PDB file of all heavy atoms in Angstrom:
ATOM      1  N   LYS O   1     -70.693  55.072 -54.317  1.00  0.00           N
ATOM      2  CA  LYS O   1     -70.985  56.437 -54.647  1.00  0.00           C
ATOM      3  C   LYS O   1     -69.765  57.363 -54.374  1.00  0.00           C
ATOM      4  O   LYS O   1     -69.185  57.242 -53.369  1.00  0.00           O
ATOM      5  CB  LYS O   1     -72.180  56.850 -53.641  1.00  0.00           C
ATOM      6  CG  LYS O   1     -72.735  58.222 -53.965  1.00  0.00           C
ATOM      7  CD  LYS O   1     -73.510  58.222 -55.271  1.00  0.00           C
ATOM      8  CE  LYS O   1     -74.101  59.517 -55.629  1.00  0.00           C
ATOM      9  NZ  LYS O   1     -74.822  59.559 -56.878  1.00  0.00           N
ATOM     10  N   LEU O   2     -69.646  58.207 -55.263  1.00  0.00           N
ATOM     11  CA  LEU O   2     -68.513  59.241 -55.166  1.00  0.00           C
ATOM     12  C   LEU O   2     -69.125  60.474 -54.570  1.00  0.00           C
ATOM     13  O   LEU O   2     -70.255  60.791 -54.829  1.00  0.00           O
ATOM     14  CB  LEU O   2     -67.940  59.561 -56.526  1.00  0.00           C
ATOM     15  CG  LEU O   2     -66.767  58.677 -57.111  1.00  0.00           C
ATOM     16  CD1 LEU O   2     -66.658  58.984 -58.583  1.00  0.00           C
ATOM     17  CD2 LEU O   2     -65.465  58.932 -56.360  1.00  0.00           C
ATOM     18  N   SER O   3     -68.256  61.123 -53.727  1.00  0.00           N
ATOM     19  CA  SER O   3     -68.705  62.406 -53.258  1.00  0.00           C
ATOM     20  C   SER O   3     -68.676  63.409 -54.324  1.00  0.00           C
ATOM     21  O   SER O   3     -67.971  63.205 -55.362  1.00  0.00           O
ATOM     22  CB  SER O   3     -67.823  62.826 -52.058  1.00  0.00           C
ATOM     23  OG  SER O   3     -66.482  63.047 -52.539  1.00  0.00           O
ATOM     24  N   VAL O   4     -69.469  64.533 -54.197  1.00  0.00           N
ATOM     25  CA  VAL O   4     -69.520  65.544 -55.224  1.00  0.00           C
ATOM     26  C   VAL O   4     -68.091  66.151 -55.572  1.00  0.00           C
ATOM     27  O   VAL O   4     -67.770  66.249 -56.708  1.00  0.00           O
ATOM     28  CB  VAL O   4     -70.483  66.702 -54.908  1.00  0.00           C
ATOM     29  CG1 VAL O   4     -70.388  67.824 -55.820  1.00  0.00           C
ATOM     30  CG2 VAL O   4     -71.841  66.142 -54.680  1.00  0.00           C
ATOM     31  N   ASP O   5     -67.254  66.203 -54.543  1.00  0.00           N
ATOM     32  CA  ASP O   5     -65.945  66.787 -54.841  1.00  0.00           C
ATOM     33  C   ASP O   5     -64.897  65.737 -55.251  1.00  0.00           C
ATOM     34  O   ASP O   5     -63.681  66.050 -55.411  1.00  0.00           O
ATOM     35  CB  ASP O   5     -65.416  67.602 -53.586  1.00  0.00           C
ATOM     36  CG  ASP O   5     -65.306  66.691 -52.350  1.00  0.00           C
ATOM     37  OD1 ASP O   5     -65.442  65.362 -52.472  1.00  0.00           O
ATOM     38  OD2 ASP O   5     -64.952  67.284 -51.353  1.00  0.00           O
ATOM     39  N   THR O   6     -65.287  64.469 -55.275  1.00  0.00           N
ATOM     40  CA  THR O   6     -64.602  63.306 -55.821  1.00  0.00           C
ATOM     41  C   THR O   6     -63.525  62.913 -54.786  1.00  0.00           C
ATOM     42  O   THR O   6     -62.605  62.178 -55.204  1.00  0.00           O
ATOM     43  CB  THR O   6     -64.040  63.510 -57.178  1.00  0.00           C
ATOM     44  OG1 THR O   6     -62.930  64.410 -57.294  1.00  0.00           O
ATOM     45  CG2 THR O   6     -65.105  63.864 -58.183  1.00  0.00           C
ATOM     46  N   THR O   7     -63.449  63.492 -53.602  1.00  0.00           N
ATOM     47  CA  THR O   7     -62.345  63.145 -52.652  1.00  0.00           C
ATOM     48  C   THR O   7     -62.646  61.804 -51.916  1.00  0.00           C
ATOM     49  O   THR O   7     -61.764  61.160 -51.401  1.00  0.00           O
ATOM     50  CB  THR O   7     -62.068  64.177 -51.627  1.00  0.00           C
ATOM     51  OG1 THR O   7     -63.288  64.478 -50.909  1.00  0.00           O
ATOM     52  CG2 THR O   7     -61.706  65.498 -52.342  1.00  0.00           C
ATOM     53  N   LEU O   8     -63.875  61.331 -51.822  1.00  0.00           N
ATOM     54  CA  LEU O   8     -64.312  60.188 -51.169  1.00  0.00           C
ATOM     55  C   LEU O   8     -65.175  59.188 -52.007  1.00  0.00           C
ATOM     56  O   LEU O   8     -65.924  59.812 -52.911  1.00  0.00           O
ATOM     57  CB  LEU O   8     -65.173  60.512 -49.873  1.00  0.00           C
ATOM     58  CG  LEU O   8     -64.392  61.365 -48.821  1.00  0.00           C
ATOM     59  CD1 LEU O   8     -65.445  61.775 -47.777  1.00  0.00           C
ATOM     60  CD2 LEU O   8     -63.274  60.596 -48.105  1.00  0.00           C
ATOM     61  N   ILE O   9     -65.057  58.069 -51.722  1.00  0.00           N
ATOM     62  CA  ILE O   9     -65.933  56.959 -52.374  1.00  0.00           C
ATOM     63  C   ILE O   9     -66.531  56.131 -51.295  1.00  0.00           C
ATOM     64  O   ILE O   9     -65.705  55.767 -50.364  1.00  0.00           O
ATOM     65  CB  ILE O   9     -65.218  56.189 -53.449  1.00  0.00           C
ATOM     66  CG1 ILE O   9     -66.259  55.281 -54.248  1.00  0.00           C
ATOM     67  CG2 ILE O   9     -64.135  55.324 -52.892  1.00  0.00           C
ATOM     68  CD1 ILE O   9     -65.711  54.700 -55.486  1.00  0.00           C
ATOM     69  N   ALA O  10     -67.795  55.843 -51.334  1.00  0.00           N
ATOM     70  CA  ALA O  10     -68.419  54.929 -50.267  1.00  0.00           C
ATOM     71  C   ALA O  10     -68.879  53.588 -51.032  1.00  0.00           C
ATOM     72  O   ALA O  10     -69.243  53.659 -52.177  1.00  0.00           O
ATOM     73  CB  ALA O  10     -69.712  55.618 -49.785  1.00  0.00           C
ATOM     74  N   THR O  11     -68.742  52.621 -50.314  1.00  0.00           N
ATOM     75  CA  THR O  11     -69.160  51.225 -50.818  1.00  0.00           C
ATOM     76  C   THR O  11     -70.077  50.564 -49.747  1.00  0.00           C
ATOM     77  O   THR O  11     -70.075  50.913 -48.581  1.00  0.00           O
ATOM     78  CB  THR O  11     -67.912  50.352 -51.053  1.00  0.00           C
ATOM     79  OG1 THR O  11     -67.172  50.214 -49.728  1.00  0.00           O
ATOM     80  CG2 THR O  11     -66.948  50.925 -52.065  1.00  0.00           C
ATOM     81  N   GLY O  12     -70.907  49.768 -50.302  1.00  0.00           N
ATOM     82  CA  GLY O  12     -71.875  48.937 -49.429  1.00  0.00           C
ATOM     83  C   GLY O  12     -71.773  47.489 -49.805  1.00  0.00           C
ATOM     84  O   GLY O  12     -71.711  47.182 -50.968  1.00  0.00           O
ATOM     85  N   ASP O  13     -71.506  46.569 -48.800  1.00  0.00           N
ATOM     86  CA  ASP O  13     -71.224  45.214 -49.150  1.00  0.00           C
ATOM     87  C   ASP O  13     -72.113  44.182 -48.561  1.00  0.00           C
ATOM     88  O   ASP O  13     -73.141  44.569 -47.864  1.00  0.00           O
ATOM     89  CB  ASP O  13     -69.776  44.822 -48.845  1.00  0.00           C
ATOM     90  CG  ASP O  13     -69.508  44.957 -47.363  1.00  0.00           C
ATOM     91  OD1 ASP O  13     -70.258  44.616 -46.584  1.00  0.00           O
ATOM     92  OD2 ASP O  13     -68.328  45.281 -47.063  1.00  0.00           O
ATOM     93  N   ALA O  14     -71.948  42.941 -48.833  1.00  0.00           N
ATOM     94  CA  ALA O  14     -72.747  41.865 -48.422  1.00  0.00           C
ATOM     95  C   ALA O  14     -72.551  41.487 -46.916  1.00  0.00           C
ATOM     96  O   ALA O  14     -73.377  40.643 -46.402  1.00  0.00           O
ATOM     97  CB  ALA O  14     -72.566  40.650 -49.250  1.00  0.00           C
ATOM     98  N   MET O  15     -71.590  42.072 -46.208  1.00  0.00           N
ATOM     99  CA  MET O  15     -71.238  41.745 -44.990  1.00  0.00           C
ATOM    100  C   MET O  15     -71.672  42.815 -43.878  1.00  0.00           C
ATOM    101  O   MET O  15     -71.020  42.987 -42.873  1.00  0.00           O
ATOM    102  CB  MET O  15     -69.825  41.398 -44.789  1.00  0.00           C
ATOM    103  CG  MET O  15     -69.434  40.115 -45.586  1.00  0.00           C
ATOM    104  SD  MET O  15     -70.198  38.608 -45.036  1.00  0.00           S
ATOM    105  CE  MET O  15     -69.555  38.351 -43.461  1.00  0.00           C
ATOM    106  N   SER O  16     -72.744  43.551 -44.216  1.00  0.00           N
ATOM    107  CA  SER O  16     -73.353  44.523 -43.310  1.00  0.00           C
ATOM    108  C   SER O  16     -72.377  45.690 -43.133  1.00  0.00           C
ATOM    109  O   SER O  16     -72.502  46.341 -42.108  1.00  0.00           O
ATOM    110  CB  SER O  16     -73.676  43.907 -41.973  1.00  0.00           C
ATOM    111  OG  SER O  16     -74.465  42.692 -42.154  1.00  0.00           O
ATOM    112  N   LYS O  17     -71.634  45.950 -44.054  1.00  0.00           N
ATOM    113  CA  LYS O  17     -70.553  47.131 -43.939  1.00  0.00           C
ATOM    114  C   LYS O  17     -70.727  48.005 -45.035  1.00  0.00           C
ATOM    115  O   LYS O  17     -70.729  47.784 -46.186  1.00  0.00           O
ATOM    116  CB  LYS O  17     -69.143  46.633 -43.947  1.00  0.00           C
ATOM    117  CG  LYS O  17     -68.771  45.545 -42.793  1.00  0.00           C
ATOM    118  CD  LYS O  17     -68.894  46.143 -41.421  1.00  0.00           C
ATOM    119  CE  LYS O  17     -68.499  45.047 -40.419  1.00  0.00           C
ATOM    120  NZ  LYS O  17     -68.645  45.466 -39.089  1.00  0.00           N
ATOM    121  N   ALA O  18     -70.792  49.348 -44.709  1.00  0.00           N
ATOM    122  CA  ALA O  18     -70.539  50.498 -45.623  1.00  0.00           C
ATOM    123  C   ALA O  18     -69.157  51.010 -45.215  1.00  0.00           C
ATOM    124  O   ALA O  18     -68.841  51.033 -44.094  1.00  0.00           O
ATOM    125  CB  ALA O  18     -71.676  51.461 -45.503  1.00  0.00           C
ATOM    126  N   LYS O  19     -68.401  51.515 -46.221  1.00  0.00           N
ATOM    127  CA  LYS O  19     -67.138  51.948 -46.007  1.00  0.00           C
ATOM    128  C   LYS O  19     -66.826  53.277 -46.775  1.00  0.00           C
ATOM    129  O   LYS O  19     -67.320  53.438 -47.838  1.00  0.00           O
ATOM    130  CB  LYS O  19     -66.071  50.826 -46.361  1.00  0.00           C
ATOM    131  CG  LYS O  19     -66.164  49.592 -45.595  1.00  0.00           C
ATOM    132  CD  LYS O  19     -65.183  48.587 -46.023  1.00  0.00           C
ATOM    133  CE  LYS O  19     -65.314  47.257 -45.084  1.00  0.00           C
ATOM    134  NZ  LYS O  19     -64.427  46.146 -45.570  1.00  0.00           N
ATOM    135  N   GLY O  20     -66.026  54.129 -46.076  1.00  0.00           N
ATOM    136  CA  GLY O  20     -65.693  55.390 -46.830  1.00  0.00           C
ATOM    137  C   GLY O  20     -64.170  55.217 -47.066  1.00  0.00           C
ATOM    138  O   GLY O  20     -63.353  54.927 -46.242  1.00  0.00           O
ATOM    139  N   TRP O  21     -63.849  55.655 -48.386  1.00  0.00           N
ATOM    140  CA  TRP O  21     -62.394  55.529 -48.892  1.00  0.00           C
ATOM    141  C   TRP O  21     -61.865  56.832 -49.331  1.00  0.00           C
ATOM    142  O   TRP O  21     -62.671  57.585 -49.916  1.00  0.00           O
ATOM    143  CB  TRP O  21     -62.292  54.411 -50.019  1.00  0.00           C
ATOM    144  CG  TRP O  21     -62.909  53.140 -49.698  1.00  0.00           C
ATOM    145  CD1 TRP O  21     -64.300  52.832 -49.806  1.00  0.00           C
ATOM    146  CD2 TRP O  21     -62.341  51.954 -49.323  1.00  0.00           C
ATOM    147  NE1 TRP O  21     -64.479  51.434 -49.487  1.00  0.00           N
ATOM    148  CE2 TRP O  21     -63.349  51.013 -49.137  1.00  0.00           C
ATOM    149  CE3 TRP O  21     -60.994  51.652 -48.941  1.00  0.00           C
ATOM    150  CZ2 TRP O  21     -62.970  49.617 -48.849  1.00  0.00           C
ATOM    151  CZ3 TRP O  21     -60.648  50.304 -48.720  1.00  0.00           C
ATOM    152  CH2 TRP O  21     -61.686  49.289 -48.479  1.00  0.00           C
ATOM    153  N   ASP O  22     -60.661  57.037 -49.218  1.00  0.00           N
ATOM    154  CA  ASP O  22     -60.045  58.210 -49.753  1.00  0.00           C
ATOM    155  C   ASP O  22     -59.615  57.897 -51.295  1.00  0.00           C
ATOM    156  O   ASP O  22     -58.927  56.883 -51.459  1.00  0.00           O
ATOM    157  CB  ASP O  22     -58.736  58.538 -48.934  1.00  0.00           C
ATOM    158  CG  ASP O  22     -57.986  59.767 -49.440  1.00  0.00           C
ATOM    159  OD1 ASP O  22     -57.350  59.741 -50.534  1.00  0.00           O
ATOM    160  OD2 ASP O  22     -58.205  60.854 -48.936  1.00  0.00           O
ATOM    161  N   THR O  23     -60.168  58.781 -52.168  1.00  0.00           N
ATOM    162  CA  THR O  23     -59.983  58.435 -53.561  1.00  0.00           C
ATOM    163  C   THR O  23     -58.423  58.595 -54.005  1.00  0.00           C
ATOM    164  O   THR O  23     -57.980  57.997 -55.004  1.00  0.00           O
ATOM    165  CB  THR O  23     -60.832  59.246 -54.538  1.00  0.00           C
ATOM    166  OG1 THR O  23     -60.677  60.621 -54.223  1.00  0.00           O
ATOM    167  CG2 THR O  23     -62.330  58.929 -54.272  1.00  0.00           C
ATOM    168  N   ALA O  24     -57.794  59.565 -53.408  1.00  0.00           N
ATOM    169  CA  ALA O  24     -56.465  59.865 -53.822  1.00  0.00           C
ATOM    170  C   ALA O  24     -55.395  58.759 -53.464  1.00  0.00           C
ATOM    171  O   ALA O  24     -54.604  58.326 -54.189  1.00  0.00           O
ATOM    172  CB  ALA O  24     -55.941  61.188 -53.132  1.00  0.00           C
ATOM    173  N   SER O  25     -55.540  58.191 -52.282  1.00  0.00           N
ATOM    174  CA  SER O  25     -54.713  57.096 -51.675  1.00  0.00           C
ATOM    175  C   SER O  25     -55.163  55.782 -51.722  1.00  0.00           C
ATOM    176  O   SER O  25     -54.466  54.739 -51.666  1.00  0.00           O
ATOM    177  CB  SER O  25     -54.229  57.432 -50.299  1.00  0.00           C
ATOM    178  OG  SER O  25     -55.477  57.453 -49.329  1.00  0.00           O
ATOM    179  N   GLY O  26     -56.646  55.715 -51.843  1.00  0.00           N
ATOM    180  CA  GLY O  26     -57.291  54.396 -51.759  1.00  0.00           C
ATOM    181  C   GLY O  26     -57.317  53.813 -50.262  1.00  0.00           C
ATOM    182  O   GLY O  26     -57.820  52.671 -50.143  1.00  0.00           O
ATOM    183  N   ALA O  27     -56.965  54.689 -49.433  1.00  0.00           N
ATOM    184  CA  ALA O  27     -57.038  54.226 -47.899  1.00  0.00           C
ATOM    185  C   ALA O  27     -58.422  54.188 -47.424  1.00  0.00           C
ATOM    186  O   ALA O  27     -59.287  55.135 -47.699  1.00  0.00           O
ATOM    187  CB  ALA O  27     -56.153  55.193 -47.095  1.00  0.00           C
ATOM    188  N   LEU O  28     -58.753  53.306 -46.487  1.00  0.00           N
ATOM    189  CA  LEU O  28     -59.970  53.253 -45.774  1.00  0.00           C
ATOM    190  C   LEU O  28     -60.056  54.326 -44.699  1.00  0.00           C
ATOM    191  O   LEU O  28     -59.249  54.432 -43.905  1.00  0.00           O
ATOM    192  CB  LEU O  28     -60.079  51.883 -45.132  1.00  0.00           C
ATOM    193  CG  LEU O  28     -61.431  51.673 -44.337  1.00  0.00           C
ATOM    194  CD1 LEU O  28     -62.681  51.671 -45.195  1.00  0.00           C
ATOM    195  CD2 LEU O  28     -61.323  50.256 -43.674  1.00  0.00           C
ATOM    196  N   ARG O  29     -61.151  55.066 -44.736  1.00  0.00           N
ATOM    197  CA  ARG O  29     -61.334  56.151 -43.798  1.00  0.00           C
ATOM    198  C   ARG O  29     -62.150  55.701 -42.640  1.00  0.00           C
ATOM    199  O   ARG O  29     -61.947  56.002 -41.510  1.00  0.00           O
ATOM    200  CB  ARG O  29     -61.855  57.395 -44.555  1.00  0.00           C
ATOM    201  CG  ARG O  29     -60.999  58.106 -45.509  1.00  0.00           C
ATOM    202  CD  ARG O  29     -60.112  59.213 -44.773  1.00  0.00           C
ATOM    203  NE  ARG O  29     -59.507  60.129 -45.672  1.00  0.00           N
ATOM    204  CZ  ARG O  29     -60.072  61.258 -45.994  1.00  0.00           C
ATOM    205  NH1 ARG O  29     -61.342  61.559 -45.637  1.00  0.00           N
ATOM    206  NH2 ARG O  29     -59.415  62.008 -46.871  1.00  0.00           N
ATOM    207  N   GLN O  30     -63.391  55.080 -43.019  1.00  0.00           N
ATOM    208  CA  GLN O  30     -64.336  54.831 -42.014  1.00  0.00           C
ATOM    209  C   GLN O  30     -65.166  53.567 -42.353  1.00  0.00           C
ATOM    210  O   GLN O  30     -65.233  53.260 -43.546  1.00  0.00           O
ATOM    211  CB  GLN O  30     -65.372  55.914 -41.787  1.00  0.00           C
ATOM    212  CG  GLN O  30     -64.836  57.205 -41.226  1.00  0.00           C
ATOM    213  CD  GLN O  30     -64.446  57.130 -39.822  1.00  0.00           C
ATOM    214  OE1 GLN O  30     -64.772  56.171 -38.960  1.00  0.00           O
ATOM    215  NE2 GLN O  30     -63.707  58.067 -39.277  1.00  0.00           N
ATOM    216  N   THR O  31     -65.563  52.755 -41.350  1.00  0.00           N
ATOM    217  CA  THR O  31     -66.452  51.736 -41.537  1.00  0.00           C
ATOM    218  C   THR O  31     -67.749  51.928 -40.777  1.00  0.00           C
ATOM    219  O   THR O  31     -67.667  52.260 -39.597  1.00  0.00           O
ATOM    220  CB  THR O  31     -65.739  50.362 -40.997  1.00  0.00           C
ATOM    221  OG1 THR O  31     -64.519  50.139 -41.846  1.00  0.00           O
ATOM    222  CG2 THR O  31     -66.706  49.211 -41.273  1.00  0.00           C
ATOM    223  N   PHE O  32     -68.859  51.588 -41.407  1.00  0.00           N
ATOM    224  CA  PHE O  32     -70.159  51.910 -40.875  1.00  0.00           C
ATOM    225  C   PHE O  32     -70.894  50.596 -40.800  1.00  0.00           C
ATOM    226  O   PHE O  32     -71.053  49.980 -41.798  1.00  0.00           O
ATOM    227  CB  PHE O  32     -70.917  52.868 -41.718  1.00  0.00           C
ATOM    228  CG  PHE O  32     -70.166  54.153 -42.050  1.00  0.00           C
ATOM    229  CD1 PHE O  32     -69.400  54.156 -43.362  1.00  0.00           C
ATOM    230  CD2 PHE O  32     -70.180  55.326 -41.276  1.00  0.00           C
ATOM    231  CE1 PHE O  32     -68.673  55.372 -43.621  1.00  0.00           C
ATOM    232  CE2 PHE O  32     -69.456  56.420 -41.601  1.00  0.00           C
ATOM    233  CZ  PHE O  32     -68.715  56.451 -42.767  1.00  0.00           C
ATOM    234  N   ASP O  33     -71.327  50.262 -39.464  1.00  0.00           N
ATOM    235  CA  ASP O  33     -72.007  48.958 -39.348  1.00  0.00           C
ATOM    236  C   ASP O  33     -73.498  49.062 -39.664  1.00  0.00           C
ATOM    237  O   ASP O  33     -74.114  49.773 -38.956  1.00  0.00           O
ATOM    238  CB  ASP O  33     -71.749  48.533 -37.867  1.00  0.00           C
ATOM    239  CG  ASP O  33     -70.274  48.099 -37.653  1.00  0.00           C
ATOM    240  OD1 ASP O  33     -69.675  47.562 -38.555  1.00  0.00           O
ATOM    241  OD2 ASP O  33     -69.796  48.387 -36.489  1.00  0.00           O
ATOM    242  N   CYS O  34     -73.925  48.220 -40.561  1.00  0.00           N
ATOM    243  CA  CYS O  34     -75.336  48.146 -40.935  1.00  0.00           C
ATOM    244  C   CYS O  34     -75.877  46.842 -40.663  1.00  0.00           C
ATOM    245  O   CYS O  34     -75.379  46.072 -39.901  1.00  0.00           O
ATOM    246  CB  CYS O  34     -75.494  48.499 -42.517  1.00  0.00           C
ATOM    247  SG  CYS O  34     -74.777  50.130 -42.884  1.00  0.00           S
ATOM    248  N   ALA O  35     -77.016  46.354 -41.274  1.00  0.00           N
ATOM    249  CA  ALA O  35     -77.666  45.176 -40.969  1.00  0.00           C
ATOM    250  C   ALA O  35     -78.022  44.478 -42.229  1.00  0.00           C
ATOM    251  O   ALA O  35     -78.892  44.914 -42.974  1.00  0.00           O
ATOM    252  CB  ALA O  35     -79.009  45.333 -40.088  1.00  0.00           C
ATOM    253  N   GLY O  36     -77.358  43.409 -42.543  1.00  0.00           N
ATOM    254  CA  GLY O  36     -77.579  42.664 -43.839  1.00  0.00           C
ATOM    255  C   GLY O  36     -76.958  43.354 -44.991  1.00  0.00           C
ATOM    256  O   GLY O  36     -76.058  44.270 -44.881  1.00  0.00           O
ATOM    257  N   TRP O  37     -77.246  42.932 -46.278  1.00  0.00           N
ATOM    258  CA  TRP O  37     -76.754  43.597 -47.472  1.00  0.00           C
ATOM    259  C   TRP O  37     -76.884  45.112 -47.370  1.00  0.00           C
ATOM    260  O   TRP O  37     -78.068  45.541 -47.108  1.00  0.00           O
ATOM    261  CB  TRP O  37     -77.320  42.981 -48.670  1.00  0.00           C
ATOM    262  CG  TRP O  37     -77.117  41.424 -48.897  1.00  0.00           C
ATOM    263  CD1 TRP O  37     -76.225  40.692 -48.188  1.00  0.00           C
ATOM    264  CD2 TRP O  37     -77.632  40.665 -49.901  1.00  0.00           C
ATOM    265  NE1 TRP O  37     -76.260  39.430 -48.565  1.00  0.00           N
ATOM    266  CE2 TRP O  37     -77.017  39.402 -49.670  1.00  0.00           C
ATOM    267  CE3 TRP O  37     -78.461  40.875 -50.876  1.00  0.00           C
ATOM    268  CZ2 TRP O  37     -77.353  38.279 -50.441  1.00  0.00           C
ATOM    269  CZ3 TRP O  37     -78.826  39.774 -51.700  1.00  0.00           C
ATOM    270  CH2 TRP O  37     -78.275  38.505 -51.483  1.00  0.00           C
TER     271      TRP O  37
END
């Protein structure tokens, strides 16, 4: 999911992680611990 202002992108994966990324640099901003996919 892209943020409305397109500065961030969020991903959700199979290893219980959601992640927030900087769209300009591609750098990882935050990791969010979830449960399962």
Side-chain angles (χ1 to χ4, degrees):
K1 189 68 179 181
L2 276 165
S3 61
V4 173
D5 64 5
T6 70
T7 60
L8 297 171
I9 187 169
T11 59
D13 64 35
M15 296 301 290
S16 307
K17 304 293 185 186
K19 296 177 180 179
W21 310 80
D22 184 281
T23 55
S25 65
L28 178 65
R29 288 273 195 90
Q30 293 291 345
T31 298
F32 310 91
D33 291 322
C34 302
W37 295 354

